[in-house]
Amino acid sequence: MKKFAKRLAALALSATLIVPAGAITQDGQSETWFDGVWALIDTFGLKAENNPYVLQNYINKYLQEHPEEMYNVINDILSLLDTHSMYLSSEEYSEGFSTLEGFVGIGVGLQQGSGGVVVSEVMRYSAAEEAGLEIGDLIIVVDGKDATQMNNTEVAELLRGQEGTKVAITVRRQGRELTVTCVRRQVNQVYVSSQTMADGVEYIKVSAMGSENDWTAFSEIWQGLDEKNTRAVILDLRGNGGGVIDIAFRMADAMVQDANVYLAGVRWREDMGGLEEYFSTGGGLPLNKIIVLVDGGTASAAELLAGSLQDNGAAVLVGEKTYGKGQGQYHLDLINGDKLVITTLQLELPEQGCWEGIGLTPDIQIENRTVTVNAERLTPLDTTQDIRFGTQSDNVYAMTERLVLLGLLDEATNTFDSSVMSAVQSFLESYEMEPQLYASSEMLQALDAAMQTLDGQTYELDEQLLTALEIGKLAAAEPQQYTALPDGSWKKN
């Protein structure tokens, strides 16, 4: 009788609980239907008490019955956390994060030649580079197998293998045979390069921070700046979607001159340590100026590097507002080959804080512009006579009109002044012609030929780089702040 009374009481209680459930009726104002139902389950369900896995179990059951919905369900849930967390198949991950993924091999590109398969590329910091393989080497034997009658797909298959295994390769180079042994390992593309743009001005392009190779390449370039008597650096981070945060911190540290400068912070969950602060070790080369190029494709770790240098006054930013990704993710491998990319940290700059959804604003905002060359509409250029400094004529206007289209001058003029002289010298330098203090007939002929080559073409004029170059040249004209020593080191002046 007591059991029956308890059941009746329970039924009566349940009936009263239906009444206040306005959250799942049309009376609900602040909650969705699911919120209301789940609130009831969470509040009154016996199994839901202090059980954080109820929702997970529910999802598991649903996915057992609808396995095709797995990606959508998980990504819908992750989208509630932030815009960067996602669940991806291995194919989707490889497509979306190609700069972070490498491959296991020896690090060569292959091309089918008339005499067989030749090496068309030797990747930097790869086993092939260490073994001394060179572009143009004809592959004739791989692990004892004759490769002279194979195509490049068949040779590539022989070169593949598990990480840590060895492969012996015999190549023919300039009439002699050479055999090397390579140990297969992880190979990553290098996204860092450099070139000297002008006397004392070095241009460094960092397209991504995908692996340790990018830090190695950057470090080698930076350590060699003093040997070139570099006084200004243009760091191009445009289109750099980021990568490994640690690499960004190391690059910033290398570029900051003083020790104990607060570079930035990484804020983890409290149970993972909270705020982690990063400070410079000092010893950066005392350059006259660092100019960082950024645009809407500059994101994440690249923004961290640019923002840290900007906040500390170590660099001036030129270009367009950046993307605005101030959060970092773990990329977790799952046993089925899928990837879970989940936000685990927030990045915070010394002055600007976290730039998530905001981006960084350059100190000098400038956009590139598109130009179309129409040679017929240009003022006729007389290429038979030299043009001297100080000349005022229609021919000066015709020359400067063309220099403007090449991005070497802001506007056309009929006066050969100092700005025109600078543009002429830049043209001569880019065409590897002898430097002159006037516009020679040969220079004018080359200039006119350039217009004929570009006739009808539409291209983007990189005014951001041109602006950075002008800033760099002005800085390089200032006294050098260090002296390079014979032993490869330097001392501050």
Side-chain angles (χ1 to χ4, degrees):
M1 186 66 182
K2 287 183 178 180
K3 288 182 178 180
F4 184 71
K6 287 182 178 180
R7 289 180 61 192
L8 286 176
L11 288 171
L13 180 60
S14 67
T16 61
L17 292 176
I18 295 175
V19 178
I24 62 170
T25 69
Q26 293 181 356
D27 298 331
Q29 297 296 320
S30 61
E31 295 178 325
T32 65
W33 179 274
F34 182 84
D35 291 332
V37 172
W38 194 256
L40 294 178
I41 296 172
D42 186 52
T43 302
F44 302 112
L46 179 64
K47 296 296 185 180
E49 184 178 13
N50 300 319
N51 183 357
Y53 301 106
V54 171
L55 181 58
Q56 178 180 324
N57 292 334
Y58 159 75
I59 293 173
N60 284 339
K61 177 172 173 47
Y62 177 81
L63 292 179
Q64 286 175 4
E65 299 173 359
H66 306 279
E68 73 282 357
E69 293 290 330
M70 181 179 68
Y71 287 96
N72 291 335
V73 170
I74 295 178
N75 279 305
D76 282 346
I77 294 171
L78 290 173
S79 69
L80 300 175
L81 301 177
D82 59 82
T83 59
H84 307 303
S85 296
M86 62 192 78
Y87 186 95
L88 302 169
S89 67
S90 58
E91 293 79 11
E92 291 171 328
Y93 184 86
S94 295
E95 182 177 347
F97 294 92
S98 58
T99 57
L100 297 178
E101 278 209 320
F103 62 92
V104 174
I106 66 169
V108 294
L110 302 177
Q111 183 176 337
Q112 192 75 46
S114 57
V117 178
V118 298
V119 175
S120 59
E121 178 187 13
V122 179
M123 298 182 69
R124 293 170 66 185
Y125 313 119
S126 66
E129 183 184 58
E130 291 181 1
L133 291 179
E134 298 179 1
I135 294 176
D137 285 347
L138 176 67
I139 299 178
I140 56 177
V141 179
V142 179
D143 273 344
K145 297 181 177 64
D146 183 1
T148 56
Q149 302 303 314
M150 295 182 182
N151 58 38
N152 54 358
T153 302
E154 293 169 329
V155 173
E157 187 64 30
L158 292 178
L159 296 179
R160 296 191 187 100
Q162 293 185 345
E163 189 169 6
T165 58
K166 296 180 180 180
V167 57
I169 306 162
T170 300
V171 299
R172 183 175 293 125
R173 180 190 303 166
Q174 296 178 351
R176 63 187 181 91
E177 294 185 1
L178 174 69
T179 300
V180 299
T181 299
C182 297
V183 179
R184 300 179 178 97
R185 67 186 189 213
Q186 181 74 13
V187 180
N188 292 90
Q189 183 70 44
V190 179
Y191 296 99
V192 179
S193 60
S194 69
Q195 68 178 94
T196 301
M197 296 284 286
D199 180 34
V201 182
E202 194 74 6
Y203 170 83
I204 304 175
K205 175 67 175 178
V206 181
S207 301
M209 302 169 187
S211 72
E212 191 71 18
N213 286 347
D214 294 317
W215 161 246
T216 301
F218 180 87
S219 180
E220 289 176 356
I221 292 169
W222 200 263
Q223 290 176 13
L225 292 178
D226 60 309
E227 298 175 8
K228 298 181 176 182
N229 290 317
T230 304
R231 299 177 291 284
V233 163
I234 300 171
L235 176 64
D236 194 344
L237 299 179
R238 293 176 297 177
N240 185 328
V244 183
I245 291 172
D246 181 58
I247 294 176
F249 273 119
R250 281 189 276 176
M251 288 182 177
D253 185 30
M255 300 172 78
V256 172
Q257 298 180 28
D258 299 324
N260 298 317
V261 173
Y262 181 45
L263 299 176
V266 177
R267 188 172 296 279
W268 305 85
R269 288 172 24 160
E270 289 303 320
D271 59 1
M272 294 177 66
L275 180 63
E276 183 178 7
E277 298 179 320
Y278 288 78
F279 294 86
S280 65
T281 57
L285 188 67
L287 298 167
N288 294 351
K289 182 75 72 173
I290 297 175
I291 308 106
V292 180
L293 291 172
V294 296
D295 64 6
T298 307
S300 193
E303 288 176 292
L304 171 65
L305 173 57
S308 176
L309 296 173
Q310 184 184 37
D311 276 10
N312 286 300
V316 57
L317 267 58
V318 174
E320 302 165 67
K321 195 168 186 178
T322 63
Y323 181 81
K325 183 178 182 293
Q327 296 175 336
Q329 292 72 40
Y330 276 167
H331 295 227
L332 305 176
D333 297 313
L334 306 180
I335 58 175
N336 66 347
D338 292 345
K339 294 274 190 174
L340 176 60
V341 179
I342 187 164
T343 299
T344 53
L345 58 90
Q346 179 169 288
L347 300 167
E348 299 179 1
L349 294 171
E351 299 294 333
Q352 302 178 67
C354 183
W355 63 92
E356 174 68 28
I358 302 172
L360 308 176
T361 301
D363 301 292
I364 300 175
Q365 296 188 60
I366 183 172
E367 296 182 2
N368 292 332
R369 60 187 175 93
T370 300
V371 297
T372 300
V373 177
N374 188 330
E376 291 184 356
R377 293 184 180 180
L378 294 175
T379 303
L381 177 66
D382 180 3
T383 63
T384 62
Q385 301 291 326
D386 299 342
I387 305 179
R388 301 286 174 175
F389 183 81
T391 301
Q392 290 183 326
S393 67
D394 290 341
N395 212 36
V396 173
Y397 187 88
M399 175 182 69
T400 58
E401 201 175 21
R402 289 158 173 77
L403 293 173
V404 168
L405 286 174
L406 293 176
L408 301 176
L409 197 62
D410 291 334
E411 60 182 354
T413 176
N414 64 356
T415 303
F416 196 149
D417 57 15
S418 58
S419 61
V420 175
M421 177 63 76
S422 178
V424 167
Q425 291 176 339
S426 295
F427 179 85
L428 292 170
E429 182 179 348
S430 63
Y431 274 69
E432 298 182 350
M433 301 176 72
E434 289 295 325
Q436 299 166 338
L437 297 178
Y438 63 97
S440 67
S441 174
E442 291 76 18
M443 177 264 176
L444 295 175
Q445 290 172 18
L447 179 61
D448 202 43
M451 291 299 101
Q452 297 303 323
T453 301
L454 294 173
D455 186 30
Q457 295 187 27
T458 298
Y459 64 97
E460 186 178 75
L461 192 60
D462 196 344
E463 295 197 19
Q464 296 167 348
L465 177 57
L466 293 172
T467 300
L469 182 57
E470 286 305 310
I471 296 173
K473 286 180 177 179
L474 289 173
E478 297 294 322
Q480 190 164 305
Q481 300 183 39
Y482 66 92
T483 300
L485 302 176
D487 62 359
S489 63
W490 56 268
K491 68 175 182 178
K492 193 168 184 177
N493 294 341

